C-alpha cells in the first residue's frame, strides 16, 4: 500500500510540473540518492524475507514506472518550450561548419613542386640553420667575396647562420649522390633587410637543380618554359635576360609577361664548373642548370596580390580567399 501510495503521489507531482528545472528537482526528491522512493527501497532490508521479496518486486516495478514517466515528461516539457520560444526558428538552415584551409604560401609551394615532379624532379628539404661552408663557400662565394653583400645574413654563431637561400642544398645533394641529379628544394629563407610591399625578411624559396651528361642551356629554357605554362597558362610569354649569380655561369633572370609589362619571377643559369668540382663531379663530363624562385612572388603575380606582407599578416580576410 505504501509503494502504491508513493507512486501515485510522485506521478501526480510530476504531472503538475511545467519547466525543466522543476523536473530535475522532482528527480532528486523522488529518485535521487536521498529521494523518498530510494529511501523506501533501502528500508526493505528490515522486512521478513518472504515479504521483502514481494514488496521489493513491487517497488522495483514502481521505480521503473516513475523513470519512464520522468523521461516522457522531460520530452514533453522540452517540446513545449521549443514550440513556445520565439527566438528559435527550426526551419532555418543549420550553421555551416568552418573548415580549415592550407595557407596560400603552402598552396603555391605545392603547386610549384607538383609542376616539377611531373617533369621527373624529386622534392628534398634541408636545414634552415646552415653552415657558412654550404651557404657560401661551396657555392663559389668564398670569405671576403663581394658577392656576399647580395645576401644580408642573419648569423646565429659563426659559422652557423639562418640560410639566406635554399641553394646550399645544391652542394648537399650532389655530395650525397652521383649524377644524374634532378631535384627541387622548397624551404624558408631569412635575410636581414627592411620589409616593404615586395620584400620580407623571411620568405619561402624553391630551388631547382639538374645535373647529368649533356645538359645544355636549351634544357634550362625548355624546363622553365614548361613550368610557366603549367602554373600560369599557355598564353603567358617568357623572357630571359643576362644576370649574375656566383654559382652559375652564364646566369639569367626569367620574367613573365603581365599585361604590357614584364615581371621577374626567378634567377637561373648553368651550374658553375667550380661548384661541380667542389662536390667531386667532373665538370668536363657533367653539366647542369639551377634556378631559384620565391613562391610568394609567384602567388602575387598569379592572384594579383599587391603586398607580400599580406602572406604573414595573419589577416583572416586575406586567408579566406585561398
Amino acid at each position: 500500500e505504501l509503494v502504491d501510495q508513493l507512486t501515485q503521489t510522485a506521478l501526480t507531482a510530476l504531472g503538475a510540473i511545467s519547466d525543466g528545472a522543476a523536473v530535475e528537482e522532482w528527480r532528486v526528491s523522488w529518485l535521487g540518492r536521498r529521494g523518498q522512493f530510494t529511501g523506501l527501497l533501502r528500508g526493505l532490508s528490515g522486512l521478513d524475507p518472504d515479504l521483502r521479496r514481494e514488496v521489493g518486486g513491487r517497488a522495483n516495478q514502481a521505480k521503473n514506472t516513475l523513470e519512464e514517466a520522468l523521461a516522457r515528461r522531460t520530452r514533453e516539457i522540452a517540446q513545449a518550450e521549443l514550440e513556445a520560444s520565439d527566438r528559435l526558428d527550426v526551419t532555418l538552415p543549420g550553421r555551416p561548419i568552418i573548415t580549415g584551409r592550407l595557407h596560400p604560401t603552402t598552396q603555391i609551394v605545392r603547386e610549384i613542386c607538383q609542376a616539377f615532379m611531373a617533369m621527373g624532379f624529386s622534392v628534398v628539404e634541408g636545414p634552415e640553420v646552415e653552415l657558412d661552408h654550404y651557404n657560401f663557400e661551396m657555392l663559389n662565394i668564398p670569405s671576403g667575396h663581394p658577392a656576399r653583400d647580395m645576401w644580408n645574413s642573419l648569423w646565429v654563431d659563426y659559422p652557423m647562420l639562418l640560410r639566406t637561400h635554399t641553394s646550399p642544398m645544391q652542394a648537399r645533394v650532389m655530395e650525397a649522390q652521383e649524377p644524374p641529379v634532378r631535384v627541387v628544394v622548397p624551404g624558408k629563407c631569412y635575410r636581414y633587410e627592411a620589409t616593404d610591399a615586395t620584400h620580407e625578411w623571411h620568405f619561402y624559396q624553391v630551388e631547382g637543380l639538374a645535373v647529368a651528361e649533356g645538359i645544355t642551356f636549351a634544357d634550362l629554357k625548355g624546363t622553365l618554359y614548361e613550368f610557366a605554362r603549367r602554373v600560369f597558362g599557355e598564353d603567358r610569354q617568357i623572357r630571359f635576360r643576362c644576370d649574375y649569380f656566383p654559382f652559375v655561369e652564364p646566369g639569367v633572370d626569367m620574367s613573365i609577361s603581365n599585361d604590357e609589362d614584364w615581371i621577374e619571377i626567378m634567377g637561373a643559369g648553368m651550374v658553375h664548373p667550380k661548384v661541380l668540382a667542389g662536390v667531386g663531379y667532373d665538370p668536363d663530363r657533367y653539366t647542369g642548370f639551377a634556378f631559384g624562385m620565391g613562391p610568394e612572388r609567384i602567388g602575387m603575380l598569379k592572384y594579383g596580390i599587391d603586398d607580400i606582407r599580406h602572406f604573414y599578416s595573419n589577416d583572416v580576410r586575406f586567408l579566406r580567399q585561398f
Side-chain angles (χ1 to χ4, degrees), residues 167-205:
S167 301
M169 284 303 294
Q170 289 188 29
R172 288 183 177 273
V173 169
M174 289 189 286
E175 281 184 340
Q177 70 180 80
E178 292 294 321
V181 174
R182 193 179 298 180
V183 297
V184 287
V185 186
K188 185 174 284 189
C189 305
Y190 307 85
R191 293 180 187 174
Y192 183 64
E193 60 185 23
T195 61
D196 56 33
T198 58
H199 296 84
E200 263 285 6
W201 72 273
H202 61 104
F203 53 91
Y204 272 81
Q205 190 178 71

Side-chain angles (χ1 to χ4, degrees), residues 6-7 10-11 14 23-42 59-71 74:
L6 286 176
T7 302
L11 291 174
L14 180 61
V23 167
E24 178 61 18
E25 293 178 3
W26 181 94
R27 186 195 67 79
V28 173
S29 176
W30 288 95
L31 299 176
R33 295 180 58 186
R34 298 183 179 181
Q36 298 181 54
F37 211 85
T38 304
L40 173 65
L41 294 175
R42 290 175 177 171
N60 284 327
Q61 182 180 359
K63 181 181 179 183
N64 293 335
T65 300
L66 292 181
E67 290 176 342
E68 293 172 1
L70 172 63
T74 300

Side-chain angles (χ1 to χ4, degrees), residues 216-271:
T216 67
F217 194 84
D219 298 314
L220 167 63
K221 293 178 67 176
T223 300
L224 297 185
Y225 176 79
E226 177 64 16
F227 159 75
R229 187 188 68 82
R230 289 175 179 269
V231 173
F232 295 102
E234 298 183 0
D235 296 334
R236 296 295 184 97
Q237 293 182 316
I238 307 300
R239 183 181 71 179
F240 292 92
R241 296 188 303 178
C242 294
D243 204 341
Y244 171 74
F245 303 100
F247 36 89
V248 293
E249 179 61 38
V252 296
D253 70 57
M254 173 179 159
S255 300
I256 190 169
S257 62
N258 184 43
D259 295 328
E260 297 181 357
D261 198 6
W262 294 90
I263 296 182
E264 180 183 346
I265 62 172
M266 73 174 78
M270 301 300 292
V271 179

Side-chain angles (χ1 to χ4, degrees), residues 95-102 316 319-320 322:
R95 295 177 180 173
I97 299 176
I98 300 176
T99 57
R101 297 176 174 86
L102 292 175
V316 177
L319 299 177
R320 279 177 177 164
F322 300 90

Side-chain angles (χ1 to χ4, degrees), residues 51-63:
L51 183 59
R52 182 168 64 238
R53 187 180 306 109
E54 180 181 355
V55 176
R58 189 69 172 271
N60 284 327
Q61 182 180 359
K63 181 181 179 183

